Amino acid sequence: MNPNNLKYSKNHEWIGLDVFNDHNNEKAYVGITHFAQKELGDIVYLDIEETIIGKKIKEGNIFGTIEAVKTVSDLFMPVSGRILEFNKILLSNPEYINKDSYNEGWILKIKILNKKEYDQLMSIKEYKKYIGEK
């Protein structure tokens, strides 16, 4: 994933279309931004229920939590979607999110249920302005 090709939520999640495997642009990967992982610090635990696969979760709803050394933060869906897969490697290696939040550190693979929600998310330029980065 390339941060320039992703969309961003105000809750600091990113979403990237799976353009190589889905030409309809309905499937996408979801993770937290580099900014978010940096703010959290060393990530030590990811809490996502195994039963999440197949569930539909609406935009803005919580799909799990992420724990760092000094804090716990909720994970929010950037768009309404049906959960296809989650990155189980993160259960034993949550530090991948710190090392590479846009590739090895992806969290979910989803089927987008409302493309309009995706279209309304921020571009990298808008997100950088939102977090005060130049």
Side-chain angles (χ1 to χ4, degrees):
M1 297 284 167
N2 178 339
N4 293 323
N5 298 334
L6 305 175
K7 294 279 203 161
Y8 299 87
S9 75
K10 291 182 177 181
N11 292 316
H12 307 287
E13 279 82 22
W14 60 261
I15 182 168
L17 299 176
D18 186 6
V19 293
F20 297 110
N21 297 312
D22 178 30
H23 300 294
N24 295 324
N25 292 330
E26 293 176 340
K27 294 180 183 142
Y29 290 94
V30 173
I32 66 166
T33 65
H34 177 74
F35 174 82
Q37 69 78 24
K38 192 173 164 187
E39 291 290 307
L40 286 168
D42 292 335
I43 295 168
V44 295
Y45 185 68
L46 188 68
D47 186 17
I48 297 177
E49 299 293 324
E50 296 250 359
T51 57
I52 198 170
I53 305 297
K55 289 191 176 177
K56 292 179 182 177
I57 302 177
K58 290 185 179 180
E59 173 193 28
N61 286 359
I62 296 169
F63 67 83
T65 59
I66 191 166
E67 185 176 331
V69 174
K70 296 181 181 179
T71 189
V72 175
S73 183
D74 290 328
L75 296 165
F76 299 92
M77 284 292 285
V79 298
S80 299
R82 184 170 48 84
I83 310 303
L84 301 174
E85 182 181 348
F86 73 91
N87 190 350
K88 292 182 182 179
I89 293 169
L90 297 178
L91 298 178
S92 57
N93 297 288
E95 68 276 5
Y96 284 5
I97 296 171
N98 290 119
K99 289 179 184 173
D100 190 359
S101 60
Y102 296 112
N103 291 295
E104 287 182 322
W106 66 271
I107 299 172
L108 297 178
K109 185 172 183 181
I110 67 168
K111 178 175 180 174
I112 297 173
L113 299 178
N114 186 337
K115 193 74 161 65
K116 288 180 184 176
E117 292 172 353
Y118 172 84
D119 293 337
Q120 293 171 353
L121 292 170
M122 292 180 273
S123 67
I124 186 66
K125 185 177 178 182
E126 293 166 323
Y127 182 69
K128 283 183 175 184
K129 185 177 179 182
Y130 177 72
I131 61 173
E133 188 178 296
K134 292 183 180 182

